[in-house]
Every structure is written in C-alpha cells, then in structure tokens.
C-alpha cells in the first residue's frame, strides 16, 4: 500500500540496539533474541536489514556504548545509518538507502520504544512508507522516576495505538516476531 512509486520491497529496520542504549532496558534478552531471529530470517529471505545507530553529546560515536550489542552483528554489505535525532530519517541517508533498495515497507524493531522507535515509525508513515512494528521486538528503559509509565505499559500502549495507525495510501500495524513473513526482494 505504500505511496512510494516502484518500492515493492520490505526492509527490517533495527533501531539503536547499542550497548549503552539497551544496558538497562525491559526484557533485554527476550527482545535481542527476537531481533536476532528476525535478522536471521530476513537474511535467508534476502530481505535487507538496515541498522540504525544513535550518537549525541552523551553517546559518542565510536565509543563502546555506541557499538551495536555483541548479541547482534551487521553483516558485510548491510546498511548502517548513523543518526543524531530520534527520527532515523531526520538528517540521515536512510531515505537514500531505502530508495536504492526499492523499499516501501518497513518492519521496525529496536529501542527506545517511547523515543526513537515511535519517532521513526511516525517519520516513516508521513514520508509514504508502510511501517509495521514488531510488538515483541522493541523495548525501553524504566523512566518512571521522570513521570513515565512503567516500561511494560509504554510497550503495550505503543503496540495498541500503532496497531491501527493509518494515513492515505499507507498503513502502520503491529505483528509478533513469530508471525513476520519475509518474502524475497526483487533484486
């Protein structure tokens, strides 16, 4: 349904699963395991995996905290998009990567649910992409001390409202990792 012309392909987008970002997140092991299985299945189906890495004043590019977690590893040739804003499209080359790959549909995983994951989902939808969130493959840390709901509530709420997200000619949606069906891309 994407509104992007000649973009029939799907990509798996892995957002900010970096050492410092996920050091204290909710259900860390379960989420990383789910993402790892998705990455493996995407590769078998020859569906592109696009990795996103955040950097800012507190998370220095190149530092140990900035590195993608040891449980996951980009393969040779997979795109890595470095970002400085929550929306992975903002001031990055993500759009160019997806355009080159003929991608109009995103399967989204990663961290933090209430920041970069949500921002990127919305950014994708407004730019013409279909954007499906993998409901059991995103996470966040406990921010209750700053007035946020507990992590499990943040994740449930995000899954609830993204499940029926729509815009003219494109859609959001939520799917469990076990139900994701990757189809071979046409390149």
């Amino acid at each position: 349904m994407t509104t992007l012309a000649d973009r029939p392909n799907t990509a798996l987008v892995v957002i900010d699963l970096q050492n410092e970002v996920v050091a204290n997140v909710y259900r860390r092991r379960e989420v990383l395991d789910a993402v790892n299985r998705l990455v493996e299945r995407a590769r078998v189906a020859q569906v592109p995996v696009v990795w996103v890495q955040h950097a800012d004043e507190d998370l220095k590019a190149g530092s140990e905290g900035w590195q993608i977690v040891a449980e996951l590893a980009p393969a040779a040739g997979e795109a890595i998009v470095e970002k400085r804003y929550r929306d992975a499209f903002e001031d990055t080359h993500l759009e160019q990567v997806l355009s080159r790959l003929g991608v109009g549909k995103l399967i989204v995983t990663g961290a933090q649910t209430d920041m970069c994951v949500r921002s990127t989902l919305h950014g994708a939808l407004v730019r013409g992409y279909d954007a499906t969130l993998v409901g059991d493959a995103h996470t966040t840390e406990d921010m209750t001390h700053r007035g946020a709901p507990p992590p499990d509530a943040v994740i449930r709420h995000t899954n609830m409202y993204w499940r029926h997200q729509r815009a003219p000619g494109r859609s959001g949606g939520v799917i469990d990792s076990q139900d994701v069906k990757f189809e071979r891309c046409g390149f």
Side-chain angles (χ1 to χ4, degrees):
M1 267 182 50
T2 177
T3 59
L4 301 170
D6 301 317
R7 302 274 196 100
N9 297 326
T10 298
L12 176 65
V13 178
V14 181
I15 300 173
D16 298 353
L17 293 182
Q18 300 161 253
N19 290 324
E20 190 171 313
V21 176
V22 298
N24 298 305
V25 295
Y26 177 72
R27 295 183 61 243
R28 181 185 190 280
R29 178 181 299 273
E30 294 88 347
V31 169
L32 294 180
D33 286 349
V35 172
N36 200 16
R37 287 189 300 274
L38 286 164
V39 167
E40 289 172 7
R41 290 176 31 222
R43 289 173 178 159
V44 167
Q46 297 178 341
V47 168
V49 179
V50 178
W51 301 85
V52 177
Q53 273 182 293
H54 187 80
D56 59 27
E57 325 54 68
D58 299 320
L59 184 58
K60 302 291 184 204
S63 70
E64 181 60 30
W66 175 83
Q67 301 298 322
I68 293 172
V69 295
E71 294 91 336
L72 301 169
E78 290 177 340
I80 300 175
V81 175
E82 295 182 18
K83 68 178 181 63
R84 297 193 55 77
Y85 301 98
R86 290 179 179 171
D87 179 351
F89 287 92
E90 194 65 44
D91 197 28
T92 70
H93 69 284
L94 179 57
E95 168 54 29
Q96 291 81 7
V97 167
L98 298 173
S99 176
R100 180 176 44 81
L101 295 168
V103 169
K105 180 177 182 179
L106 307 180
I107 305 295
V108 178
T109 66
Q112 304 269 352
T113 297
D114 41 351
M115 291 183 238
C116 299
V117 171
R118 282 187 189 173
S119 295
T120 300
L121 285 167
H122 285 282
L125 198 66
V126 301
R127 288 172 174 90
Y129 292 87
D130 291 331
T132 301
L133 176 62
V134 183
D136 59 338
H138 65 97
T139 188
T140 194
E141 63 188 347
D142 187 340
M143 300 288 281
T144 54
H145 64 283
R146 295 175 75 185
D152 63 324
V154 169
I155 292 164
R156 281 195 321 273
H157 179 256
T158 301
N159 288 345
M160 183 267 317
Y161 90 77
W162 197 257
R163 185 169 312 281
H164 302 290
Q165 196 65 249
R166 301 279 182 271
R170 56 210 185 270
S171 65
V174 178
I175 191 168
D176 286 334
S177 59
Q178 67 188 20
D179 297 326
V180 173
K181 305 284 189 257
F182 290 114
E183 297 178 18
R184 287 193 195 280
C185 285
F187 44 74

